[in-house]
Amino acid sequence: MKRRSLRSIGLYALVIATCAILVFPIYWLVVTALSEPSQLRQLPPSFWPAEPRWGVFGQIMAERPILLWLGNSALAAIGAVAISMVVSVLAGYSLSRFRVRGGQSLGLFILTAKMLPATLLVIPLFGIFRNLELIGSLWSIILAHATLIIPFTTWMLKGYFDTIPRELEQAAMVDGCSPLGALVRVILPVSAPGLAATALYGFVLSWSDYAYARTFLTNAQGNWTANLGITTMKGEYISNWSDISAASILVALPILLIYLFLERYLVGGLTAGAEK
């Protein structure tokens, strides 16, 4: 019993230490945002400002079009996720249910496409979007993000559909549903946790992009996304890291709220395969 207690204490200590290491960068981001710029260079560092600047967030929103940047990021992410989910649901369901020649190779090819770095696709996408006159438009970001999201979400949904018994859609087709009707009316409602987890992954991937936004939206300030807009706050000689940290917190808040809202679906998406 004593050995078991010591083991439990060690495990809890390890978990607490790991959580502290993971949370500390976020805590320091908040401290940096609330501190005066002059306090950031003092030694020893202060782990909490003597007079927190709670008004820095309102100041940033007044001085910078942060709401416009957030709106552009949201539009790009929602558009990319909408396109990606339609394609991924159909592709993942097809790979899961239909046995065709080369189907396994096609699935591996899709997964391999996810391994390609985003910078490798910038040049060909830039040429395509320039010919289509989409450079500077949010559509270029939406389509570019979809190329990143679709391969992995297709593979995720394929694995999730594999856990759903085929008897469900077979029973629906016996009752008169077409294969597409069985997918829409039976499979998708059952797959809600997996769909939510997959959509959230795609949303975060689009929200956190910088490379594509920097390439396709440089000369279109009205369509800048949040990550691209924050980089313009860095000066050539002097950078106000307090303001940059405050803007970063504002950009991170939507993702945090989405995680809190979809938490039960995410937990269900992670455990549903084992339960089935």
Side-chain angles (χ1 to χ4, degrees):
M1 291 295 294
K2 184 177 181 180
R3 182 178 300 177
R4 185 176 301 176
S5 299
L6 291 176
R7 185 179 302 175
S8 299
I9 293 174
L11 180 60
Y12 280 118
L14 179 61
V15 171
I16 293 173
T18 302
C19 292
I21 294 174
L22 295 176
V23 172
F24 183 78
I26 301 175
Y27 165 76
W28 197 252
L29 181 68
V30 175
V31 171
T32 303
L34 299 179
S35 300
E36 293 289 344
S38 59
Q39 297 177 352
L40 300 179
R41 299 175 179 85
Q42 68 181 11
L43 291 175
S46 175
F47 286 91
W48 187 256
E51 298 181 359
R53 300 190 309 153
W54 298 108
V56 66
F57 302 103
Q59 176 185 342
I60 290 298
M61 296 175 66
E63 294 179 353
R64 303 278 181 168
I66 189 71
L67 294 180
L68 176 62
W69 297 342
L70 291 173
N72 291 336
S73 293
L75 287 176
I78 292 173
V81 169
I83 295 174
S84 301
M85 290 302 294
V86 171
V87 175
S88 299
V89 165
L90 297 177
Y93 183 76
S94 300
L95 291 173
S96 174
R97 290 298 191 260
F98 303 116
R99 297 291 180 259
V100 296
R101 180 177 299 178
Q104 188 68 22
S105 300
L106 178 60
L108 293 175
F109 175 78
I110 293 174
L111 184 61
T112 303
K114 175 64 182 71
M115 301 178 185
L116 298 176
T119 53
L120 189 64
L121 302 176
V122 166
I123 295 177
L125 286 176
F126 186 88
I128 294 173
F129 294 153
R130 182 180 59 184
N131 293 334
L132 296 176
E133 299 182 354
L134 293 178
I135 298 298
S137 170
L138 280 179
W139 277 108
S140 63
I141 299 298
I142 292 173
L143 297 176
H145 290 175
T147 63
L148 289 179
I149 297 172
I150 288 175
F152 195 73
T153 53
T154 297
W155 194 256
M156 286 180 65
L157 290 176
K158 188 264 182 190
Y160 192 85
F161 288 143
D162 286 343
T163 66
I164 299 177
R166 295 173 181 267
E167 288 78 10
L168 291 178
E169 61 223 67
Q170 291 173 356
M173 286 186 280
V174 168
D175 290 337
C177 281
S178 63
L180 182 59
L183 170 64
V184 174
R185 298 181 180 181
V186 178
I187 302 302
L188 292 186
V190 174
S191 307
L195 295 174
T198 305
L200 181 58
Y201 165 81
F203 190 92
V204 172
L205 189 63
S206 176
W207 188 271
S208 60
D209 170 70
Y210 171 74
Y212 285 155
R214 181 67 177 84
T215 303
F216 303 138
L217 300 177
T218 301
N219 298 323
Q221 297 186 14
N223 289 331
W224 280 359
T225 58
N227 292 329
L228 180 59
I230 288 178
T231 60
T232 64
M233 298 175 63
K234 187 177 183 298
E236 184 176 359
Y237 301 105
I238 299 177
S239 298
N240 190 333
W241 293 108
S242 297
D243 291 352
I244 294 175
S245 299
S248 300
I249 292 174
L250 292 176
V251 173
L253 279 178
I255 297 297
L256 177 61
L257 295 176
I258 291 175
Y259 266 107
L260 293 177
F261 179 73
L262 296 179
E263 179 183 5
R264 57 174 181 169
Y265 295 104
L266 294 176
V267 174
L270 294 174
T271 60
E275 292 175 357
K276 287 182 175 66

